[in-house]
Every structure is written in C-alpha cells, then in structure tokens.
Amino acid sequence: NEVTVNATISGDLIVFPVRADIQKLISHWKPTFKTITGLILLEKLAFLTIEILIGWLLIALLPQLIKQLLSLGLKLPGAAIGWGLLFLTVIPLLACLFIISLIGIPLGVVTILIYIVSLSLAKLLAGLSLGSRLLKDVRFKKPYLSLALGLAIMVILQLIPIFGWLAYFILILFGLGILTLQGKTLLARFK
C-alpha cells in the first residue's frame, strides 16, 4: 500500500516510497495550510493598519517632536544603531536586576513597560525614517505617506527569511537609538 514520489536532484531521479495513508493525510491538511497562511497575512495586514493609524495620530499630535526625532536619526544613523543595540541589551538586564533585588520590583516593572513602549515607538520611527529616506522627504512634507510606506516595507522585510529579518532588526535598532539619543539629549538639558 505504498505510493512513490519522484524527485530530481541534480539530474538524478530519486524515488521515495510514501505510504498511502501519509499521502492522504498530507492532501487532507493542504487546505488547512492555505487557510493558516491566509490568516497570518490577514493578521499582518491588521497590525500594519493599526500601526499606521497610531503613527498618524502621533504625527498629528506631536509634529515637532516627530520631526526632531526624524532629523536626529537621519543626522546620526550609525550612532543611533549603536545606542539602539545598547538600549536593547542593557534595559532588560537592568529591569531583571531591579526585580531580583525585591525592593526594586516596582521600578523593574516600570522599566519593562518603558522597554515595551520603546520597542513599539522604535518601529514607528524606523518606518517613518525609512519612508522619508525612500521618498526623499527631508523637510517632513509627506510624513503620513512616508510612515505608511516605511511600515509596509518593514512588514515585507519580515517575510524574507534571513536578510529581511536582519534588515528589520537593524531598523528596530535604529529606532531605539533615535529614542535613546533623544533621551540622552533631554538628560543633558536637565543638568
């Protein structure tokens, strides 16, 4: 009760015996895989829409701050990526140290919340920066279009196995670095 599957690898025909019940199982689940793929794409589209709407709201409410952050990132891209990597590694360790000390549990929880919010804002800033760079919108004339284009490209990058994830990771580091540089600038002003 076996079925054979033929495969050609570098010109040689290789025959793999496959049991009929396994083939039946595969053909039974094939529509389910298509459904799951469709649901994953729908989920990505829904999250993209929500992120674009939140980004547009932030641009509408804080246009000067967003413009300042964007120009800071475009001025210092290498420093932004370096500071983003530092933020990505140090803040979770700091939060763990606060929580381990037991006295600092509230401070650790606040640090984790700041970390989570920063990651979300970093993605928005990275998308805005990417879109602005691609549209050559240095003067911040088309921020809504820049944000939508940048975030759409970031979603597409997530679908590319190795290179895409690496580029996405660098963009997130860039966004975190912009936030860190801005925080560093604000601390310097308070001193």
Side-chain angles (χ1 to χ4, degrees), residues 1-4 17-24:
N1 207 10
E2 289 186 358
V3 177
T4 58
V18 178
R19 290 187 8 209
D21 55 341
I22 293 175
Q23 185 180 16
K24 186 177 177 183

Side-chain angles (χ1 to χ4, degrees), residues 36-58:
I36 291 172
T37 304
L39 288 175
I40 289 171
L41 290 176
L42 186 64
E43 178 250 347
K44 292 228 178 261
L45 184 63
F47 275 115
L48 175 64
T49 305
I50 291 169
E51 288 170 345
I52 288 172
L53 291 175
I54 290 171
W56 285 353
L57 182 65
L58 287 174

